[in-house]
Amino acid sequence: MYLKKYTFAISTTALLLANLSLLPDRASAQNIPSLKDTFKKDFGIGTALNTAQIEERDPQMTAFIVRQFNMATPENIMKSALIHPKWDTYNFEMADKLVEFGKKHNIKINGHTLIWHSQLPPFIRGIKSADSIRTFFNDHIKTVAGRYDGKVLSWDVVNEALNEDGTMRKSVFLQYLGDDFVTEAFRLAQQAAPKTELYYNDYNNEQPKKRAGCIELVKKIKAAGVRIDGVGIQGHWHVGKVPLNDIEESILQYAALGVKVMFTELDIEVLPRNFQGADVGQRMTANEQSNPYTAGLPDSVQQQLAADYEALFKLFLKHKDKVTRVTFWGVNDADSWLNNWPIRGRTSYPLLFDRKNQPKPAFEKVIALKK
């Protein structure tokens, strides 16, 4: 009888040790430096959160997020298709959970996004009336922005309204509401959410032509006596091709308008792509060369990625008086949208943490800037 007990104790201990041995990466992840603490005197450090993370389904992931980040943007759950699925129906469940997550963990929330031409509710496609589009536009902004006034720090009021040449994108809102729809969106958001910061957000708006269009938008909003608090540069760039000079010029020019500057969806693509930017409508066809790193990232690419992130953060620190936030678009490589865009099922490595939340050389380079 005693032998059986002793054997059981050994077996149990062995099993426990075996299970713990499966978790060294996750456990040690809590011992690495904290991004938010490292840059606490410089700018906020944010991440995009998915549904599982907002619902705290994985306690270790929650602990990791809370340790590394002090700001968060919802990846999808506040986009109109999800929060306003039917003409007279809103679904606030997940957005409310996000607000509670932020409150519980002292993480400031950036609402994303009120007006965007993509991920619209299906019923929009059937509308052919300017009056009906305007009704949706007005009610959506007032209802959603109003509900979360004082509960979120900020809103991306309008997302991606510009073409690459700086002209207005031919969206359903431009088609039915005209050139002033961006100004009107900010006016409505200002009325509905007076305690919330209001931002314009876009990709490639560090490029000269698109930047010029973005500057004109900001000036137009301000000239109308409407409040705009910041411009978000998404920061979807490609390894070895980060446009540092354009980025710095954009920080300076946007800040000169009297608005905050932030980097809102930062990642650095390492996989082949035949176009630049982040237009979700663009796709590529898979071929033998399109997913080259399924077994891991070559050291040469890993080091280039690290050098790019180091150069970027040097620039952010140089202009920390103007840059208020740097948000990564995903917690780790497994979360990145780039695994599935513009080709589904690829293995991408665009962030500072690998698929087990372990720091990559890029993380070490970024942290070292403050040591």
Side-chain angles (χ1 to χ4, degrees):
M1 185 170 125
Y2 294 111
L3 180 61
K4 285 183 179 176
K5 281 187 177 179
Y6 182 66
T7 304
F8 176 75
I10 292 175
S11 300
T12 304
T13 304
L15 184 62
L16 180 61
L17 289 172
N19 284 338
L20 286 174
S21 73
L22 297 175
L23 300 173
D25 290 341
R26 302 293 292 278
S28 64
Q30 287 300 95
N31 300 322
I32 63 176
S34 162
L35 285 168
K36 71 174 186 182
D37 292 344
T38 299
F39 295 99
K40 65 183 175 183
K41 294 181 179 178
D42 307 308
F43 34 72
I45 297 288
T47 187
L49 295 180
N50 60 36
T51 299
Q53 291 160 348
I54 294 166
E55 292 188 331
E56 302 190 45
R57 295 178 198 170
D58 179 344
Q60 287 178 306
M61 177 60 89
T62 301
F64 184 81
I65 290 166
V66 172
R67 176 168 169 73
Q68 291 295 332
F69 306 103
N70 51 21
M71 294 189 171
T73 301
E75 186 176 24
N76 280 303
I77 57 104
M78 280 181 156
K79 291 170 182 172
S80 61
L82 284 80
I83 207 168
H84 191 175
K86 297 180 181 177
W87 178 263
D88 56 355
T89 303
Y90 289 87
N91 181 357
F92 294 119
E93 181 184 3
M94 284 307 306
D96 287 352
K97 285 183 179 180
L98 174 66
V99 168
E100 286 306 307
F101 179 95
K103 191 175 176 182
K104 177 180 176 182
H105 298 297
N106 196 27
I107 290 176
K108 293 176 181 176
I109 303 300
N110 173 60
H112 177 79
T113 169
L114 291 172
I115 296 298
W116 187 31
H117 67 275
S118 189
Q119 285 183 254
L120 287 165
F123 66 79
I124 291 291
R125 287 195 296 270
I127 297 177
K128 307 299 179 189
S129 152
D131 286 344
S132 294
I133 292 293
R134 187 173 299 281
T135 298
F136 163 79
F137 182 87
N138 292 356
D139 289 353
H140 182 82
I141 294 172
K142 288 177 182 176
T143 302
V144 179
R147 182 182 181 89
Y148 296 107
D149 187 34
K151 298 178 180 179
V152 300
L153 171 71
S154 52
W155 268 106
D156 293 331
V157 177
V158 177
N159 196 49
E160 302 174 4
L162 295 168
N163 293 315
E164 298 306 294
D165 64 359
T167 60
M168 296 292 288
R169 180 194 291 272
K170 288 181 171 58
S171 68
V172 65
F173 302 111
L174 184 73
Q175 179 184 349
Y176 286 105
L177 305 182
D179 286 350
D180 292 333
F181 85 85
V182 175
T183 300
E184 192 57 28
F186 276 85
R187 189 193 311 276
L188 290 165
Q190 177 181 344
Q191 293 167 357
K195 298 188 289 290
T196 307
E197 294 188 8
L198 308 177
Y199 306 150
Y200 176 76
N201 191 55
D202 215 326
Y203 62 85
N204 285 356
N205 56 336
E206 79 285 346
Q207 296 297 312
K209 288 183 180 179
K210 200 167 192 178
R211 181 204 305 144
C214 193
I215 287 170
E216 287 308 307
L217 265 186
V218 175
K219 287 180 175 178
K220 186 174 182 179
I221 294 165
K222 284 177 166 282
V226 175
R227 176 164 62 88
I228 176 171
D229 299 297
V231 169
I233 300 170
Q234 290 183 13
H236 296 295
W237 293 307
H238 204 284
V239 69
K241 300 177 182 177
V242 179
L244 295 167
N245 292 336
D246 289 331
I247 295 166
E248 181 166 34
E249 187 61 29
S250 298
I251 293 171
L252 295 171
Q253 289 200 30
Y254 290 138
L257 298 173
V259 295
K260 296 178 179 181
V261 183
M262 57 217 69
F263 294 86
T264 57
E265 304 182 15
L266 181 58
D267 48 33
I268 299 180
E269 173 77 275
V270 299
L271 301 177
R273 179 117 61 86
N274 58 14
F275 63 91
Q276 182 177 315
D279 185 343
V280 293
Q282 288 187 273
R283 295 282 171 179
M284 280 172 55
T285 303
N287 58 39
E288 290 182 8
Q289 291 78 41
S290 61
N291 194 23
Y293 307 135
T294 54
L297 201 59
D299 186 62
S300 60
V301 184
Q302 192 80 267
Q303 295 309 318
Q304 180 64 62
L305 183 69
D308 286 347
Y309 269 115
E310 180 183 32
L312 264 176
F313 270 78
K314 275 184 182 175
L315 189 56
F316 298 159
L317 286 169
K318 180 181 177 181
H319 297 291
K320 63 183 182 180
D321 60 323
K322 303 173 186 70
V323 175
T324 58
R325 167 166 61 97
V326 178
T327 292
F328 295 89
W329 207 240
V331 175
N332 67 34
D333 286 342
D335 301 322
S336 175
W337 70 304
L338 293 171
N339 292 299
N340 290 306
W341 180 88
I343 299 171
R344 185 165 292 279
R346 295 205 294 181
T347 308
S348 197
Y349 305 82
L351 297 168
L352 297 188
F353 300 106
D354 70 14
R355 284 164 167 73
K356 294 182 178 179
N357 282 340
Q358 288 301 290
K360 293 155 64 175
F363 174 88
E364 306 294 349
K365 287 282 192 183
V366 165
I367 292 291
L369 291 172
K370 293 290 290 182
K371 286 184 178 176

